[in-house]
Amino acid sequence: GSPAARAPSAGAAPVGTVSPGTFSVGDKVEIWSASRSQWLPGDVGAIYEEEGVADGFRVPAGVIKICFASGVKYVRPEQIPELLRRPRVTAIVV
């Protein structure tokens, strides 16, 4: 099959889309690590609802700051569906 088009939609968000409003500060999340090619546990450190400055860098509105073992990552709104997800719940078999 052909890759899905990545044009921004003016209508309703597709089912399964994750947006900044989906998360709250302190939420447990998993963030994709391209360098490790795996999901890493982390938590939401901040959500920038308005453009501002963080750690000396300009941060656009909608960015989510994720804190995890390897450091901090700022995830732009358009990256959220690819880089962030809720932790998977695994059943513990006794």
Side-chain angles (χ1 to χ4, degrees):
S2 62
R6 305 192 89 200
S9 63
V15 174
T17 297
V18 181
S19 68
T22 306
F23 297 100
S24 300
V25 173
D27 281 359
K28 298 294 181 194
V29 296
E30 290 183 343
I31 184 156
W32 178 252
S33 170
S35 60
R36 295 186 185 185
S37 297
Q38 65 181 0
W39 291 95
L40 301 176
D43 43 59
V44 177
I47 298 173
Y48 298 90
E49 294 179 6
E50 298 178 2
E51 183 176 324
V53 176
D55 300 327
F57 297 98
R58 187 181 72 76
V59 179
V63 165
I64 297 180
K65 177 183 180 179
I66 304 298
C67 304
F68 59 108
S70 302
V72 171
K73 186 174 276 193
Y74 291 88
V75 182
R76 298 172 71 93
E78 65 273 15
Q79 298 173 307
I80 291 170
E82 298 170 15
L83 299 182
L84 283 185
R85 71 180 187 190
R86 296 278 179 194
R88 304 215 173 216
V89 177
T90 55
I92 299 173
V93 180
V94 180

